[in-house]
């Protein structure tokens, strides 16, 4: 018994100390990480679906793994801490996280989204939630006045703004603090999809947002080997409702995938340091290439969102989009690369390039795509952690080949 108390005291002290650590250290030391029974330094994978109960009907910490699981719990507590919230929830994909979040609303409610919202978010709103009576409206989030007007005209029906910053694939920056404040003025929630930035670069809850969510498939997992979603909130009542939705609808993340994410998150800081430094250098280099008409990267001083970006995020991130000049064959550039893989998705250790017009945004009708500023000459590069010189040489070779 005394031994047990000593262990408990040690864990408490460790936890208190953990809270005073820098973010880089907190990535490595998750709350409740390790295992008191054997001293594991990594979180054990608890595959169990059920838990033996000491007596009938006596409440215990875990009773069935859909409702809670110790491996998943470490990850859920960790995303809450990293985002500066109080509660986190892990789902089987980013879309499951978005679906659970949208399930907070009721028929007759409205959600406001920008015209360049993530395609899957648009799809689930248009082809799924609309059928349940949840309405949505599209406005340009760079135009705060337009957002205010939509909120005013909805007379309280709009219950949430759901947005990303920077956006995909043109990396437009929106003002998270200003939009959150505006949402609150009209009694709506600010929901931020923080996939592109991660809590390492940007923490929306600290900027006033109410819900932050992730496709953890991208930077948090970081190795293109797990599909997952996370949600974090700082409000107890919201947390309770989200937990109910997670438990009731069941889109949970498995113990093994939860483990993979805790493993990926440990290197988030070092991966992003490398990738963002390379992205900044590549963006500057791309601007000088005769085959490149325009570079979209919020880390560049002349990017229209640069000033907001540096107040709300640590740097410009690790995604760079660029438009080729008229004579250059974008598809040939995309297929002439030898190091960078032509693939959808982003945020992995390996660099990935995509041609939005034929890949991520192929289902958007061409006129609408043009209206959104996504030309056939646009490429989006997710900078990985290879040596920057190899990435530059790869791009140089492909640009030369396609000219
Ligand atoms: C990939 C992505 C999603 C969807 O996540 P999945 O894990 O693929 O379900 C949502 N939002 C953004 C910004 C994404 O990039």
């Amino acid at each position: 018994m005394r031994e047990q108390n000593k262990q408990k005291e040690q864990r408490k002290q460790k936890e208190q100390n953990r809270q005073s650590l820098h973010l880089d250290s907190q990535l490595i030391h998750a709350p409740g990480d390790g295992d008191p029974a054997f001293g594991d330094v990594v979180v054990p994978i608890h595959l169990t679906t059920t838990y033996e109960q000491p007596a009938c009907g006596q409440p215990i910490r875990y009773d069935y793994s859909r409702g809670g699981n110790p491996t998943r719990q470490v990850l859920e507590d960790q995303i809450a801490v990293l985002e500066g919230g109080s509660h986190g929830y892990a789902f089987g994909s980013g879309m499951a996280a978005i679906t659970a979040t949208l399930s907070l609303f009721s028929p007759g409610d409205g959600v406001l989204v920008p015209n360049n919202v993530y395609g899957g978010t648009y799809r689930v709103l248009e082809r799924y939630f609309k059928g349940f009576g949840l309405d949505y409206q599209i406005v340009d989030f760079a135009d705060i006045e337009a957002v205010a007007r939509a909120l005013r005209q909805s007379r309280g029906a709009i219950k949430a703004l759901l947005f990303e910053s920077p956006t995909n694939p043109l990396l437009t920056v929106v003002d998270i603090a200003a939009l959150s404040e505006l949402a609150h003025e009209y009694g709506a929630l600010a929901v931020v999809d923080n996939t592109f930035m991660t809590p390492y670069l940007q923490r929306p809850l600290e900027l006033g947002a109410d819900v932050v969510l992730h496709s953890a498939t991208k930077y948090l997992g970081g190795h293109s080997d797990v599909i997952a979603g996370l949600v974090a909130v700082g409000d107890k009542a919201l947390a309770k409702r989200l937990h109910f939705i997670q438990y009731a609808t069941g889109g949970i993340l498995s113990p093994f995938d939860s483990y993979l994410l805790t493993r990926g998150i440990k290197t988030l800081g070092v991966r992003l340091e490398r990738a963002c430094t390379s992205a900044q250098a590549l963006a500057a280099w791309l601007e000088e290439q005769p085959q490149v008409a325009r570079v979209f990267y919020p880390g560049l001083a002349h990017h229209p969102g640069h000033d907001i970006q540096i107040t709300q995020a640590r740097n410009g991130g690790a995604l760079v989009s660029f438009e080729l000049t008229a004579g250059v064959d974008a598809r040939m550039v995309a297929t002439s690369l030898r190091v960078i893989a032509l693939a959808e998705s982003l945020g992995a250790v390996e660099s990935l390039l995509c041609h939005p017009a034929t890949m991520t945004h192929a289902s958007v009708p061409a006129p609408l795509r043009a209206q959104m500023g996504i030309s056939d000459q646009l490429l989006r590069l997710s900078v990985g952690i290879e040596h920057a010189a190899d990435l530059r040489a790869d791009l140089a070779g492909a640009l030369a080949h396609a000219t």
Side-chain angles (χ1 to χ4, degrees):
M1 201 59 190
R2 196 181 293 154
E3 199 47 37
Q4 255 182 6
N5 282 341
K6 205 171 120 198
Q7 264 188 7
K8 230 179 173 171
E9 186 54 33
Q10 269 177 354
R11 279 182 83 75
K12 209 170 108 190
Q13 281 176 7
K14 214 173 141 182
E15 176 55 28
Q16 275 169 357
N17 182 55
R18 196 193 53 74
Q19 289 173 12
S20 67
L21 298 176
H22 291 89
L23 183 64
D24 288 88
S25 308
Q26 294 206 3
L27 291 171
I28 317 291
H29 302 285
D33 200 356
D35 170 43
F38 299 106
D40 305 26
V41 297
V42 300
V43 56
I45 303 173
H46 293 274
L47 292 173
T48 193
T49 57
T50 189
Y51 304 81
E52 194 172 354
Q53 310 199 6
C56 298
Q58 204 173 298
I60 48 170
R61 179 75 186 82
Y62 301 107
D63 54 22
Y64 186 61
S65 278
R66 171 156 38 79
N69 170 281
T71 309
R72 194 174 88 221
Q73 191 65 51
V74 168
L75 171 67
E76 297 185 320
D77 289 344
Q78 189 173 28
I79 193 62
V81 166
L82 296 178
E83 286 289 3
S86 59
H87 293 76
Y89 300 98
F91 296 89
S93 68
M95 282 322 303
I98 289 169
T99 298
T101 303
L102 288 171
S103 303
L104 287 166
F105 308 106
S106 310
D109 287 351
V111 179
L112 207 56
V113 293
N115 52 0
N116 48 9
V117 72
Y118 176 70
T121 304
Y122 170 77
R123 178 166 49 222
V124 82
L125 280 167
E126 168 64 25
R127 294 173 56 185
Y128 183 78
F129 278 102
K130 218 164 98 174
F132 291 96
L134 180 65
D135 291 323
Y136 74 92
Q137 243 187 76
I138 292 177
V139 291
D140 178 3
F141 274 42
D143 182 353
I144 297 266
E145 256 320 299
V147 177
R149 205 174 316 122
L151 282 163
R152 204 165 43 240
Q153 285 171 355
S154 92
R155 297 175 188 279
I158 290 173
K159 293 295 196 310
L161 310 188
L162 168 51
F163 59 99
E164 300 138 42
S165 184
T167 63
N168 183 35
L170 291 173
L171 304 170
T172 307
V173 177
V174 299
D175 190 332
I176 296 173
L179 286 166
S180 300
E181 204 183 311
L182 190 58
H184 297 159
E185 246 175 72
Y186 289 89
L189 297 177
V191 179
V192 177
D193 179 339
N194 202 27
T195 301
F196 276 26
M197 287 281 103
T198 84
Y200 192 73
L201 302 180
Q202 173 173 284
R203 276 184 293 285
L205 296 182
E206 291 174 1
L207 297 164
D210 304 281
V211 181
V212 55
L213 55 87
H214 288 277
S215 168
T217 311
K218 316 292 167 54
Y219 290 103
L220 295 172
H223 295 74
S224 304
D225 56 6
V226 55
I227 300 262
L230 294 170
V231 180
V233 291
D235 176 80
K236 266 218 174 89
L238 262 180
K240 208 170 152 193
R241 289 171 62 205
L242 274 167
H243 182 242
F244 173 78
I245 291 165
Q246 184 195 40
Y247 173 66
T249 65
I252 52 160
L253 192 64
S254 78
F256 187 77
D257 287 350
S258 297
Y259 167 76
L260 275 180
L261 267 193
T262 67
R263 178 175 154 116
I265 287 171
K266 283 178 207 268
T267 55
L268 180 68
V270 288
R271 283 187 284 113
L272 276 173
E273 291 292 347
R274 162 72 68 88
C276 296
T277 304
S278 299
Q280 181 81 39
L282 283 170
W285 176 82
L286 280 165
E287 280 205 306
E288 291 166 5
Q289 305 315 301
Q291 300 96 332
V292 176
R294 198 166 161 203
V295 176
F296 303 85
Y297 181 67
L300 292 172
H302 61 70
H303 183 283
H306 180 71
D307 291 347
I308 297 172
Q309 181 71 9
I310 54 173
T311 58
Q312 70 186 14
R314 190 191 287 236
N315 60 37
L319 287 159
V320 182
S321 292
F322 55 101
E323 216 166 63
L324 301 167
T325 52
V328 187
D329 185 339
R331 283 189 245 192
M332 191 177 284
V333 172
T335 51
S336 305
L337 296 160
R338 299 196 177 125
V339 179
I340 301 164
L342 176 64
E344 296 199 5
S345 198
L346 57 113
V349 288
E350 59 274 353
S351 295
L352 306 171
L353 180 124
C354 91
H355 181 234
T358 56
M359 296 167 70
T360 52
H361 291 69
S363 64
V364 180
L368 185 57
R369 235 177 16 234
Q371 207 186 320
M372 289 166 75
I374 302 169
S375 82
D376 289 356
Q377 293 300 84
L378 185 77
L379 294 172
R380 185 195 73 191
L381 174 65
S382 168
V383 179
I385 64 170
E386 300 94 339
H387 197 294
D390 291 331
L391 300 177
R392 195 174 54 224
D394 200 25
L395 287 165
L399 288 173
H401 184 72
T403 308

